[in-house]
Amino acid sequence: MRRLNRKKTLNLMKELDAFPKVPESYVETTVSGGTVSLIAFTTIAFLTVMEFTVYRDTWMKYEYEVDKDFTSKLRINIDITVAMRCQYVGADVLDLAETMVASADGLIYEPVIFDLSPQQKEWQRMLQLIQSRLQEEHSLQDVIFKSAFKSASTALPPREDNSLQSPDACRIHGHLYVNKVAGNFHITVGKAIPHPRGHAHLAALVSHESYNFSHRIDHLSFGELIPGIINPLDGTEKIASDHNQMFQYFITIVPTKLHTYKISAETHQFSVTERERVINHAAGSHGVSGIFMKYDISSLMVTVTEEHMPFWQFLVRLCGIIGGIFSTTGILHGFGRFVAEVIFCRFRLGSYKSTSVPLPDGHTSNHLPLSTDNSTH
């Protein structure tokens, strides 16, 4: 009884076979079929390798939402070199929300030489080249995001030459925390002094001829400091053409959450517009000489996530490639054989020309003879 049930089950499974087998004696192999098969297998192998490359790659997904965090502090990372002595310049932040000077105690004033060494000039040249490429090809920013914490540091390398020249510039570097509202970070003549109605800089003791706001921005970023991330103003260098010159940078900051397979951090991207002009009160160009960075924070927050193709999707695409190539090449091969047979049949029919056969009554027949055998009976 068990054997009978087993036999019925096997017969049922045979009837459900969707892949019927054809005996090898009925299969005809041709040169054209072998050629098409070779092309199909080569194409499948090539597309499989390409698909595996796509599967290994990752891409960045951007999502936008309203930033509801107004209570946390915004960190500003600064590394700027000004072509003036440290005792002549002062840096601070004016918070527009509270209309008061934010503390800038986290900044360090370091006397340095403004001219770069050969190695540092090469670093700056490469950084400026990367910046120009980023402006032309925005997709490179995804590569920078994915390579964060893996690439070398973007900080200015230390000076390798032992120059005996006395320091003629001031490097202002460090970080400070401000409220997440619009503000103005500026570097101008004189140290900042507290004032009940605002703020002021003690510039009366500085000679006007010593004003020189030529500067180099080695690094400027907002939020968490992430090695490997290149910001829009990194490597910027401006040379003042006049003592009374104002450099303005209008910055729009976008809060960003970065989630990759290497890091997970909260940082800020920003865009910047530059402007510079000479202060000349007689010509109607009013203002204060210095470097002014006016920043505003966007109400939108961007979440950047590194994504990877799921393995099941890779298998589906791979099956589609294999099945599609086999089906397409089979159809093309069948169509090609059909066209070839039609052409060859017409060629063969055209080779048989009509001939005249004499009849006993003196007439002729233009029909083809029934037999081409020359034997006599």
Side-chain angles (χ1 to χ4, degrees):
M1 187 68 180
R2 291 183 178 178
R3 294 183 61 185
L4 182 61
N5 292 335
R6 185 179 180 183
K7 187 174 182 180
K8 288 183 179 180
T9 304
L10 294 176
N11 291 333
L12 179 61
M13 296 301 295
K14 288 181 180 180
E15 292 178 0
L16 295 176
D17 187 4
F19 308 97
K21 308 301 184 294
V22 180
E24 294 185 1
S25 58
Y26 295 161
V27 177
E28 180 183 0
T29 58
T30 60
V31 176
S32 60
T35 304
V36 172
S37 299
L38 182 60
I39 296 174
F41 288 129
T42 304
T43 306
I44 290 174
F46 175 74
L47 293 180
T48 299
V49 173
M50 296 298 294
E51 190 65 26
F52 183 72
T53 304
V54 174
Y55 170 72
R56 291 186 56 192
D57 194 14
T58 59
W59 61 88
M60 308 305 294
K61 179 182 179 181
Y62 293 82
E63 296 178 337
Y64 303 89
E65 59 180 320
V66 178
D67 184 16
K68 301 179 181 179
D69 183 13
F70 300 103
T71 59
S72 62
K73 296 290 185 177
L74 174 65
R75 171 170 169 158
I76 306 179
N77 307 296
I78 301 166
D79 191 350
I80 301 176
T81 301
V82 185
M84 292 180 65
R85 296 185 182 275
C86 292
Q87 61 266 28
Y88 295 158
V89 294
D92 61 330
V93 179
L94 180 62
D95 191 335
L96 298 183
E98 301 179 3
T99 318
M100 61 179 293
V101 179
S103 175
D105 297 336
L107 298 180
I108 301 173
Y109 294 78
E110 178 185 350
V112 294
I113 300 174
F114 186 76
D115 292 334
L116 297 176
S117 65
Q119 180 181 355
Q120 292 175 329
K121 288 181 179 180
E122 181 66 19
W123 170 88
Q124 187 185 36
R125 188 188 68 82
M126 291 299 298
L127 190 56
Q128 291 176 349
L129 179 62
I130 294 175
Q131 292 284 19
S132 63
R133 295 289 293 176
L134 284 173
Q135 294 177 1
E136 298 174 359
E137 303 181 19
H138 300 285
S139 59
L140 291 178
Q141 186 64 47
D142 292 349
V143 179
I144 293 177
F145 279 150
K146 289 189 288 186
S147 63
F149 276 176
K150 294 191 301 182
S151 58
S153 175
T154 57
L156 180 70
R159 200 175 191 93
E160 78 282 357
D161 58 343
N162 297 322
S163 177
L164 300 178
Q165 180 182 352
S166 60
D168 58 352
C170 183
R171 178 191 175 197
I172 304 173
H173 61 98
H175 66 273
L176 48 90
Y177 292 91
V178 298
N179 295 323
K180 290 185 66 174
V181 292
N184 180 9
F185 171 77
H186 52 273
I187 302 174
T188 187
V189 179
K191 301 298 181 180
I193 56 176
H195 193 275
R197 298 183 180 179
H199 82 292
H201 287 261
L202 190 60
L205 302 179
V206 182
S207 172
H208 186 270
E209 286 73 17
S210 62
Y211 287 14
N212 183 6
F213 285 100
S214 299
H215 62 280
R216 182 177 61 254
I217 303 176
D218 296 325
H219 180 79
L220 179 67
S221 64
F222 300 86
E224 184 177 347
L225 187 60
I226 303 177
I229 297 295
I230 299 177
N231 298 278
L233 286 177
D234 293 354
T236 300
E237 185 177 74
K238 299 291 184 180
I239 304 299
S241 58
D242 193 272
H243 293 293
N244 285 338
Q245 192 152 353
M246 173 189 288
F247 296 91
Q248 292 177 302
Y249 299 91
F250 301 93
I251 300 173
T252 301
I253 305 171
V254 181
T256 304
K257 291 183 178 180
L258 182 61
H259 301 287
T260 67
Y261 290 104
K262 296 295 181 181
I263 63 171
S264 180
E266 293 187 6
T267 182
H268 292 73
Q269 302 179 82
F270 66 90
S271 60
V272 60
T273 303
E274 304 175 12
R275 183 190 179 192
E276 59 182 84
R277 60 188 176 93
V278 176
I279 302 301
N280 189 347
H281 298 286
S285 178
H286 304 290
V288 178
S289 303
I291 305 167
F292 297 85
M293 298 182 177
K294 298 181 179 181
Y295 60 87
D296 194 5
I297 302 177
S298 174
S299 59
L300 292 178
M301 181 174 61
V302 182
T303 301
V304 184
T305 308
E306 185 178 7
E307 292 192 345
H308 187 273
M309 181 188 297
F311 183 70
W312 65 266
Q313 187 176 355
F314 169 70
L315 292 180
V316 170
R317 292 167 64 97
L318 196 61
C319 293
I321 289 175
I322 297 174
I325 294 297
F326 270 119
S327 301
T328 304
T329 52
I331 293 173
L332 293 178
H333 180 238
F335 181 75
R337 288 191 61 182
F338 172 76
V339 173
E341 289 178 359
V342 170
I343 295 175
F344 289 153
C345 287
R346 288 187 177 181
F347 177 77
R348 290 172 182 175
L349 290 175
S351 63
Y352 293 100
K353 297 181 180 180
S354 60
T355 57
S356 299
V357 180
L359 298 177
D361 56 359
H363 294 83
T364 60
S365 175
N366 294 327
H367 296 285
L368 292 175
L370 297 178
S371 177
T372 56
D373 189 2
N374 294 327
S375 61
T376 56
H377 299 283

